[in-house]
């Protein structure tokens, strides 16, 4: 798999079967399965990368591969950046066996069970409900010019349920979702539908939060997003290498309190699990922040060679797309505070619950994310509910403002976008207390 | 070969269902990426995708594949998908129409050659040199062309050529970042301008000072405005959202819902990224006025939603690639109205926002972090602001704007000017 002038090449083929079901107000809007077969061939020329993205590649066809490698080499000819690759760590984790394999169930059965969750959301006062199921089974084959090969199959699936309540022109929503690599997870999940409905109804009576700087308690879901947005992205080796991360040049520096350890671990059997990364590298736990100090960056082989400080094994890619440095399962380690201690220490502030997602500018070191809702905290007690609360801040000052970490961590699943690619991730944390959070809200008092 | 394959699928599908639709995309592209100031990667791509939809007695089935050889498997999957969906009122796929007007979606000068992508990068590098304190972190330039075909068992068989060029640059100055981009179906982007703007914003914002919390007039750039409109307003204009009870605009048809100066339409014949003469279901596309002089005049419908609710299809079906079925969207969302000088009195200009996707699409509430907030006064940029978080409700904010600025630019599937908003809450 080589031609003169090629220092390294690899091929990653992803054959995927995707199933979705969409039930909207009791109507099965769509349900079906689609197929894709995509591949990316990377060629490292004398300087940088030439890449070819194609459908339906047969990597065993020498004629086809020679033609694509030549094409890749020609593209690499316009590059100027000298790219080097670190030696790969090899080894693969076993993909956990599903408890109930979604592929063994009929589309009818999946639709029937999803429908039960959607119906459960329609409690009195709810005007609109919707439930969706997504499932993606990927067969991955990887090989490179060293002769290394791996192949595996993984199926990810899950659901989300949405409920909308309306009163006097005001509309509010509640949403719940669960995704997993461990098999069909929709059975007995009707309470999630009910919870979405109850949240939407409760939000009709919630006031808008008054924005400003205050003490904030983040629940495990939102604190997980905080770890992902505020620290995870800034630790990605490609951003550090480009000079667009506030964590560049800070290895060993204390950026948070001693109770703070932040980890990314693609080998953990959570939603962001990868048995091996998109460059055929072994995946393992990386402590990005260790007891408050910047400990390591996340890497592909290219960024590890350029920067050091960390492990490769964090390259992830959609089919036909290049491996980028990505997070997988990112979390804040458990601390030593009880929830009572956290509320008591907060005294007057806000509790932020759930996540509608977030975004970060890692170069500027500014992040933003939205909670699903919140509660005021008054004299150490949870008080009235508030809606549309968000949190923004500067990464470095906010990390120093972490006062307490709870004892119990929970993980939540989602998808993370970067460079036009979306990958499954999970984030988690115990409850945390921030001393000086910038909370957004349009309320007057 | 494509014509033959399409005919084969239409014939085979027609044996099992009343109607069949085939959507086929073939394309090639090339892109080059900058890391700092050096070209690090060049990528070539070839895409092929097929989507099949079949309909029988009001049941609709879909499937898609990227393999020509797997069309039979794809058709079988569409058939089993059809059996599961809830049957609905259905009045048929469109018949062939006399499409006299072509949409501006193709420029024969766009050839996906690596040297052209390299040329975009060179132009941006040169533009960025005007603000030497800013350093380039990454950038990209790309060119693509594709051929899109829709055909159905009623005899519709339309093919369109599409081209797309784009370039973007990210910069940093100290701990201040800047970014700019341009994209178009035509070889009409200006990499020099993109480079100069990206570098200007990073350099200028590096001297940002804190601001007070409070209500301020805001100038949303076309990019910032597109983020909020796309995440909040566009979903609320979809007939599906309206009838599902998830749109705040639902009860306002025929009523004033925005400032009387605002006209908002979907113009598939405008020179934008979504230009097309037919929608993703083969319905002839035409201008759709959503809001005229502040009054809500229509919502967007695809065939399915229109038939179900007895509304008129508006040719608003779009696809996000071959693998998704058609869904309601916009081709080119255009905001227009009387233009005026909107930067003479003091206001906070917002170049872009972080976190617009976290907005509440049902209520319209949003809270976003501003990128490159800068005070404007006397028609020009003044002092930069270090950090500003903007909160509000988009539906409420659009009811009383401070004015619409001159010009417009393409941002994704929209063509927008800069708009001034009155007294929005900013947390400094």
């Amino acid at each position: 798999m080589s031609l003169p002038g090629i220092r390294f090449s690899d091929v990653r083929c992803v054959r995927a079967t995707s199933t979705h079901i969409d039930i909207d107000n009791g109507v099965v809007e769509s349900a079906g399965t689609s197929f894709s077969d995509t591949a990316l061939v990377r060629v490292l020329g004398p300087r940088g990368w030439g890449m070819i993205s194609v459908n339906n590649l047969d990597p065993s066809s020498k004629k086809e591969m020679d033609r694509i490698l030549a094409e890749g080499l020609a593209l690499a000819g316009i590059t100027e950046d000298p790219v080097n690759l670190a030696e790969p760590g090899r080894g693969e984790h076993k993909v956990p066996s599903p408890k109930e394999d979604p592929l063994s169930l009929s589309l009818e059965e999946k639709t029937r069970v999803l429908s039960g969750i959607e119906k459960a959301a329609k409690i009195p006062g709810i005007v609109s409900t919707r439930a969706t199921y997504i499932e993606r089974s990927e067969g991955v084959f990887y090989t490179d010019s060293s002769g290394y090969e791996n192949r595996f199959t993984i199926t990810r699936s899950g659901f989300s349920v949405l409920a909308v309540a309306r009163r006097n022109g005001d509309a509010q929503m509640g949403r719940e979702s669960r995704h997993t690599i461990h098999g069909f997870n929709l059975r007995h999940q009707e309470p999630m539908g009910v919870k979405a409905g109850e949240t939407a109804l409760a939000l009709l009576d919630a006031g808008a939060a008054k924005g400003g700087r205050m003490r904030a308690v983040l629940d495990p879901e939102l604190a997980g997003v905080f770890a992902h947005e505020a620290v995870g992205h800034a630790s990605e080796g490609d951003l550090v290498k480009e000079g667009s991360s506030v964590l560049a040049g800070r290895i060993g520096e204390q950026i948070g309190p001693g109770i703070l350890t932040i980890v990314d671990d693609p080998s953990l059997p959570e939603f962001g699990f990868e048995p091996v990364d998109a460059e055929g590298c072994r995946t393992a736990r990386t402590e990005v922040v260790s007891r408050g100090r910047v400990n390591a960056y996340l890497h592909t082989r290219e960024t590890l060679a350029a920067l050091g400080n960390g492990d490769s094994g964090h390259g992830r890619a959609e089919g036909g797309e290049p491996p980028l440095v990505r997070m997988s399962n990112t979390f804040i380690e458990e601390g030593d505070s009880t929830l009572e201690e956290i509320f008591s220490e907060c005294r007057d502030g806000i509790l932020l619950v759930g996540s509608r997602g977030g975004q970060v500018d890692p170069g500027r070191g500014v992040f933003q994310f939205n909670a699903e809702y919140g509660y005021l905290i008054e004299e150490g007690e949870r008080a009235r509910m508030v809606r549309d609360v968000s949190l923004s801040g500067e990464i470095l000052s906010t990390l120093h403002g972490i006062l307490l970490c709870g004892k119990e961590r929970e993980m939540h699943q989602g998808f993370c976008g970067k460079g036009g690619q979306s990958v499954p991730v999970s984030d988690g944390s115990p409850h945390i207390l921030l001393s000086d959070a910038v909370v957004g809200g349009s309320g007057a008092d | 070969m494509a014509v033959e394959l399409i005919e084969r699928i239409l014939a085979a599908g027609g044996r099992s269902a009343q109607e069949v639709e085939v959507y086929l995309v073939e394309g090639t592209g090339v892109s080059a990426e900058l890391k700092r100031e050096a070209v690090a990667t060049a990528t070539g791509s070839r895409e092929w995708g097929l989507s099949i939809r079949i309909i029988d007695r009001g049941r609709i089935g879909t499937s898609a594949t990227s393999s020509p050889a797997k069309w039979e498997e794809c058709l079988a999957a569409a058939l089993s998908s059809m059996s599961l969906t809830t049957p609905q009122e259905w009045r048929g796929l469109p018949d062939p129409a006399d499409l006299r007007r072509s949409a501006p979606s193709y420029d024969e000068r766009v050839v996906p050659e690596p040297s052209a992508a390299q040329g975009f990068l060179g132009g941006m590098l040169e533009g960025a040199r005007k603000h030497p304190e800013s350093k380039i972190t990454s950038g990209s330039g790309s060119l693509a062309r594709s051929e899109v075909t829709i055909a159905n068992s009623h005899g519709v068989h339309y093919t369109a050529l599409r081209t797309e060029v784009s370039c973007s640059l990210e910069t940093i100055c100290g701990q201040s970042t800047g970014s700019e981009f341009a994209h178009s179906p035509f070889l009409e982007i200006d990499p020099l301008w993109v480079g100069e703007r990206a570098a200007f914003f990073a350099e200028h914002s590096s001297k940002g000072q804190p601001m007070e919390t409070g209500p301020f007039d805001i100038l949303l750039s076309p990019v910032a405005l597109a983020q909020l409109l796309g995440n909040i307003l566009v979903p609320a204009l979809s007939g599906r959202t309206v009838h599902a009870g998830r749109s705040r605009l639902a009860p306002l048809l025929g009523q004033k819902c925005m400032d009387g100066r605002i006209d908002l339409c979907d113009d598939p014949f405008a020179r934008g990224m979504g230009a097309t003469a037919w929608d993703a279901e083969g319905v002839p596309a035409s201008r759709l006025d959503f809001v005229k002089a502040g009054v809500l005049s229509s919502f967007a419908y695809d065939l399915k939603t229109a038939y179900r609710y007895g509304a008129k299809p508006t040719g608003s079906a779009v696809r996000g690639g071959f693998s998704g079925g058609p869904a309601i969207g916009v081709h080119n969302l255009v905001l227009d109205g009387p233009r005026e000088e909107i930067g003479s009195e003091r206001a906070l200009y917002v170049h872009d926002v972080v976190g617009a996707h976290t907005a509440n699409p049902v209520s319209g509430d949003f809270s976003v972090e501003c990128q490159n907030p800068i005070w404007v006064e006397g028609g020009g940029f003044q002092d930069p602001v270090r950090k500003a978080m903007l909160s509000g409700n988009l539906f409420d904010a659009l009811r009383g704007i401070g004015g619409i600025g001159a010009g417009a630019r393409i941002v994704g599937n929209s063509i927008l000017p800069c708009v001034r908003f009155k007294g929005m809450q900013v947390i400094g």
Side-chain angles (χ1 to χ4, degrees):
Chain A
M1 210 175 100
S2 200
L3 293 171
I6 295 181
R7 288 189 287 152
F8 170 84
S9 67
D10 66 2
V11 184
R12 187 168 184 268
C13 302
V14 179
R15 287 192 182 147
T17 303
S18 306
T19 294
H20 83 282
I21 305 167
D22 180 357
I23 305 179
D24 197 343
N25 287 311
V27 170
V28 181
E29 281 281 343
S30 60
T33 301
S34 293
F35 313 92
S36 65
D37 183 346
T38 49
L40 185 83
V41 178
R42 298 195 301 171
V43 173
L44 191 55
R47 293 173 299 276
W49 291 107
M51 302 186 194
I52 304 285
S53 171
V54 289
N55 300 133
N56 315 308
L57 178 70
D58 176 5
S60 66
S61 161
K62 187 172 181 312
K63 193 176 158 199
E64 189 177 4
M65 285 307 301
D66 281 351
R67 184 174 55 80
I68 288 179
L69 290 173
E71 213 177 319
L73 185 59
L75 283 163
I78 71 162
T79 63
E80 306 151 346
D81 193 28
V83 170
N84 290 302
L85 301 180
E87 280 304 308
R90 297 296 195 196
E92 293 120 47
H93 304 280
K94 192 172 175 295
V95 178
S97 300
K99 291 188 182 79
E100 183 177 13
D101 187 355
L103 302 180
S104 70
L105 297 171
S106 68
L107 200 52
E108 287 86 345
E109 173 68 357
K110 292 168 191 166
T111 306
R112 188 187 66 75
V113 181
L114 182 69
S115 173
I117 299 172
E118 198 244 1
K119 279 187 188 130
K122 198 129 198 163
I123 57 178
I126 294 299
V127 297
S128 181
T129 53
R130 184 176 185 182
T132 54
Y133 171 75
I134 52 170
E135 170 196 305
R136 185 173 169 86
S137 181
E138 289 190 346
V140 178
F141 169 71
Y142 174 90
T143 185
D144 68 24
S145 50
S146 75
Y148 170 83
E149 280 187 13
N150 73 60
R151 58 180 85 226
F152 65 90
T153 300
I154 187 165
T155 303
R156 294 183 168 91
S157 63
F159 70 95
S160 72
V161 56
L162 172 79
V164 176
R166 186 183 295 279
R167 189 198 298 152
N168 301 333
D170 182 19
Q172 292 296 327
M173 64 175 187
R175 186 176 174 278
E176 295 294 327
S177 69
R178 297 284 184 277
H179 292 88
T180 182
I181 58 166
H182 296 290
F184 189 65
N185 70 338
L186 272 64
R187 300 203 191 273
H188 315 298
Q189 292 291 344
E190 291 80 4
M192 289 293 109
V194 175
K195 190 176 174 200
E198 288 174 346
T199 301
L201 283 175
L203 282 170
L204 284 177
D205 293 318
K210 184 189 175 192
R213 288 180 181 271
M214 62 190 81
R215 285 196 164 192
V217 178
L218 275 51
D219 87 329
E221 182 172 357
L222 196 66
V225 175
F226 171 75
H228 178 107
E229 297 296 343
V231 180
H233 279 297
S235 72
E236 291 167 346
D238 50 350
L239 302 182
V240 175
K241 180 170 175 263
E242 288 164 16
S244 51
S245 166
V246 285
L247 296 185
R250 294 189 194 267
I251 291 287
E253 188 175 321
Q254 192 85 32
I255 61 163
I259 49 164
L260 182 69
T261 291
I262 301 180
V263 175
D264 186 78
D265 187 353
S267 70
L268 204 66
E270 292 282 350
F271 195 52
F273 171 76
E274 294 284 4
V276 55
D277 92 339
E279 297 185 297
C281 292
R282 180 171 45 84
T283 56
R285 172 188 165 101
T286 299
E287 278 191 12
V288 173
V289 175
S290 193
R291 297 179 181 279
R293 289 182 193 279
V294 181
N295 180 61
Y297 302 126
L298 307 180
H299 287 304
T300 56
R301 293 178 64 184
E302 177 182 342
T303 65
L304 179 61
L307 295 173
N309 293 307
D311 310 301
S312 58
H314 295 279
R316 304 183 71 190
E318 285 186 11
E321 297 286 340
L324 300 176
V325 181
R326 303 301 296 261
M327 283 173 273
S328 54
N329 304 303
T330 312
F331 55 91
I332 298 176
E333 289 267 48
E334 292 86 337
D336 53 6
S337 302
T338 64
L339 198 52
E340 291 72 29
E341 285 166 347
I342 290 173
F343 271 67
S344 167
E345 182 67 23
C346 175
R347 192 164 171 82
D348 291 308
I350 193 164
L351 167 66
L352 302 175
V353 180
S355 166
R356 289 210 305 258
Q359 198 177 340
V360 66
D361 178 344
R364 194 176 154 209
V366 168
F367 63 86
Q368 186 279 346
F369 47 82
N370 237 293
E372 289 194 274
Y373 53 93
Y375 295 93
L376 299 184
I377 297 175
E378 293 169 356
E379 298 187 352
E381 300 285 333
R382 202 179 86 168
R384 72 182 170 87
M385 191 181 200
V386 289
R387 62 201 198 191
D388 292 302
V389 276
S390 67
L391 184 69
S392 78
E394 290 172 306
I395 294 171
L396 296 174
S397 61
T398 308
L399 288 174
H400 279 298
I402 294 177
L403 300 176
L404 298 174
C405 276
K407 288 179 171 176
E408 291 174 29
R409 169 163 65 88
E410 288 174 27
M411 300 297 284
H412 291 265
Q413 309 86 39
F415 292 85
C416 170
K418 176 179 172 183
Q421 298 188 54
S422 172
V423 295
V425 295
S426 74
D427 308 326
S429 173
H431 280 84
I432 61 170
L433 172 63
L434 299 180
S435 64
D436 186 26
V438 182
V439 174
S442 52
D445 55 37
Chain B
M1 177 209 156
V3 173
E4 202 177 294
L5 177 65
I6 288 168
E7 290 306 322
R8 209 178 303 160
I9 296 168
L10 291 176
R15 286 194 282 276
S16 308
Q18 291 168 330
E19 295 177 281
V20 190
E21 175 192 85
V22 177
Y23 183 84
L24 189 66
V25 182
E26 275 184 278
T28 58
V30 67
S31 66
E33 313 275 333
L34 278 178
K35 295 290 175 197
R36 296 189 184 249
E37 298 204 353
V39 183
T41 307
T43 305
S45 62
R46 287 190 288 277
E47 184 195 32
W48 191 95
L50 165 74
S51 175
I52 301 176
R53 204 155 62 124
I54 55 173
I55 301 132
D56 197 89
R57 283 164 288 176
R59 291 183 192 268
I60 304 167
T62 55
S63 182
T65 180
S66 61
S67 311
K70 286 195 176 168
W71 71 268
E72 284 169 304
E73 199 179 333
C74 181
L75 179 62
L79 277 165
S80 57
S81 149
M82 184 180 77
S83 66
L84 274 178
T85 53
T86 308
Q88 68 154 71
E89 175 69 27
W90 181 260
R91 299 201 296 277
L93 288 169
D95 291 322
D98 183 10
L99 300 177
R100 294 188 180 180
R101 200 171 164 199
S102 66
S105 64
Y106 176 73
D107 183 345
E108 63 180 8
R109 296 171 297 171
V110 177
V111 181
E113 293 285 348
S115 57
Q118 202 177 4
F120 291 165
L121 302 184
M124 292 192 295
L125 286 168
E126 191 184 333
R129 282 188 203 110
K130 291 180 185 152
H131 303 282
E133 285 180 42
S134 285
K135 291 186 171 53
I136 290 161
T137 54
S138 63
S140 82
S142 69
L143 302 93
R145 53 198 301 163
S146 60
E147 186 176 289
V148 183
T149 300
I150 189 150
N152 70 32
S153 47
H154 292 225
V156 162
H157 191 124
Y158 306 142
T159 295
L161 292 172
R162 291 185 185 161
T163 46
E164 182 177 338
V165 293
S166 70
C167 69
S168 65
L169 195 71
E170 310 269 334
T171 62
I172 194 161
C173 180
Q175 209 177 304
S176 158
T177 54
S179 68
E180 192 50 273
F181 68 91
H183 51 193
S184 171
F186 307 98
L187 204 55
E188 290 173 2
I189 58 172
D190 184 354
L192 272 172
W193 176 84
V194 170
E196 191 276 326
R197 286 283 90 180
F200 161 77
F201 282 116
E203 190 179 279
H204 191 68
S205 291
S206 68
K207 300 164 191 80
Q209 295 299 314
M211 69 177 283
E212 288 175 18
T213 294
F216 295 94
D217 276 17
I218 302 293
L219 251 59
L220 287 183
S221 78
V223 177
L225 184 61
Q227 295 250 23
L228 293 177
L229 294 182
N231 282 286
I232 301 170
L233 186 69
V234 172
L237 290 167
S238 152
R240 178 174 172 180
T241 315
V242 167
H243 292 283
R246 293 193 286 266
S247 170
R248 221 182 95 163
L249 298 177
L252 298 177
L253 200 60
Q255 296 176 38
K256 192 147 189 261
C257 71
M258 291 183 191
D259 190 290
R261 284 169 288 184
I262 296 179
D263 291 326
L264 189 73
C265 75
D266 182 9
D267 185 356
F269 293 94
R271 288 169 71 86
M273 303 304 287
T276 183
W278 34 272
D279 82 345
E281 299 181 293
V283 174
S286 59
R287 179 187 162 112
L288 174 64
D289 289 308
F290 290 121
V291 176
K292 281 200 277 196
V295 175
L296 183 61
S297 55
S298 45
F299 295 116
Y301 288 93
D302 58 3
L303 292 175
K304 188 162 97 165
T305 313
Y307 292 163
R308 180 180 298 161
Y309 298 107
K312 185 172 173 284
T314 55
S316 298
V318 297
R319 296 189 198 233
F322 75 90
S323 60
I328 299 172
V330 291
H331 305 293
N332 291 312
L333 184 74
V334 180
L335 190 149
D336 208 347
R339 306 308 181 97
E340 56 192 289
E341 171 54 55
I342 55 171
S344 46
E345 286 179 31
R346 190 169 168 83
L348 188 68
Y349 171 85
V350 178
H351 178 56
D352 198 355
V353 296
V354 173
H357 68 289
T358 71
N360 185 332
V362 174
S363 68
D365 288 316
F366 66 87
S367 183
V368 292
E369 185 61 34
C370 301
Q371 291 285 63
N372 308 109
I374 304 171
W375 291 112
V376 287
E377 199 168 2
F381 287 135
Q382 307 295 330
D383 295 337
V385 168
R386 179 182 160 89
K387 184 183 179 311
M389 188 189 202
L390 179 66
S391 292
N393 182 289
L394 184 68
F395 297 115
D396 295 341
L398 286 166
R399 282 183 173 270
I401 61 166
I404 302 172
R409 66 178 277 196
I410 299 172
V411 184
N413 278 10
S414 56
I415 301 170
L416 299 172
C418 189
V419 174
R420 184 177 180 117
F421 289 87
K422 289 193 285 199
M424 294 181 87
Q425 185 67 19
V426 180
I427 299 162

